Amino acid sequence: MEEVPREAPRSPAAEALAEAAAETLITVDSPASMQELGRRIAGLLRPGDLVLLTGELGAGKTTLTRGLGEGLGVRGAVTSPTFVIARVHPSLGDGPPLVHVDAYRLGGGLDEMEDLDLDVSLPESVVVVEWGDGKVEELSDDRLHVVIGRAVGHEEVLDDVREVALRGVGERWAGAELAGLAGLAGLTAR
């Protein structure tokens, strides 16, 4: 995990999030670093937390969630739930289970997701929803938005480099030290 020698410009998704609210931007230089960022975020999570992941196909949403699962100490391999919509990973210890949802194929917002019983799972679990923007915000006033964009530099795409924008919403995340998540080679906060 080598530190990126130059600062990569923000992705359009990260730019949009920066304009909307105070955020922490972290540059990730590899899939292994993305997974490590997930492990670090897991250290901040507790039962009842809702995490929304946004990013294009292949941006690293499931890789980040794999790290969340490792950090939370849950059972089972964290893989994309695209075809099953949701997977529940029970805790191997005292921590909360991880509910991993892929809302990509769901278009109808919270009404369409009611069958998943996310509102029932949320109080005792950490619920992570890929492609959840505009669909599940009603589940909680407090949530962590994570936007992952590919870094672009001088008209080329920097293959493994990602810009990760973290923004906490609500009282739960007020004052959270999200910038401290980057204290490792391969992760750079701005």
Side-chain angles (χ1 to χ4, degrees), residues 1 13 18 49 61 71 103 105 121 130 132 151 190:
M1 296 189 300
D49 280 342
K61 296 178 298 295
R105 294 185 303 142
S121 300
E130 296 185 25
R190 290 191 309 282

Side-chain angles (χ1 to χ4, degrees), residues 64-141:
L64 181 83
T65 306
R66 190 171 297 122
L68 290 172
E70 290 173 7
L72 291 171
V74 299
R75 186 177 72 215
V78 175
T79 59
S80 176
T82 298
F83 298 106
V84 295
I85 310 298
R87 293 184 195 278
V88 177
H89 298 274
S91 176
L92 292 171
D94 297 345
L98 172 67
V99 178
H100 183 199
V101 179
D102 186 329
Y104 182 74
R105 294 185 303 142
L106 302 177
L110 198 55
D111 291 338
E112 191 173 338
M113 297 187 73
E114 261 183 22
D115 290 341
L116 298 177
D117 287 332
L118 293 180
D119 54 338
V120 172
S121 300
L122 187 59
E124 71 272 356
S125 305
V126 169
V127 176
V128 176
V129 183
E130 296 185 25
W131 306 97
D133 281 349
K135 297 177 181 175
V136 298
E137 287 88 345
E138 294 174 26
L139 285 173
S140 177
D141 291 335

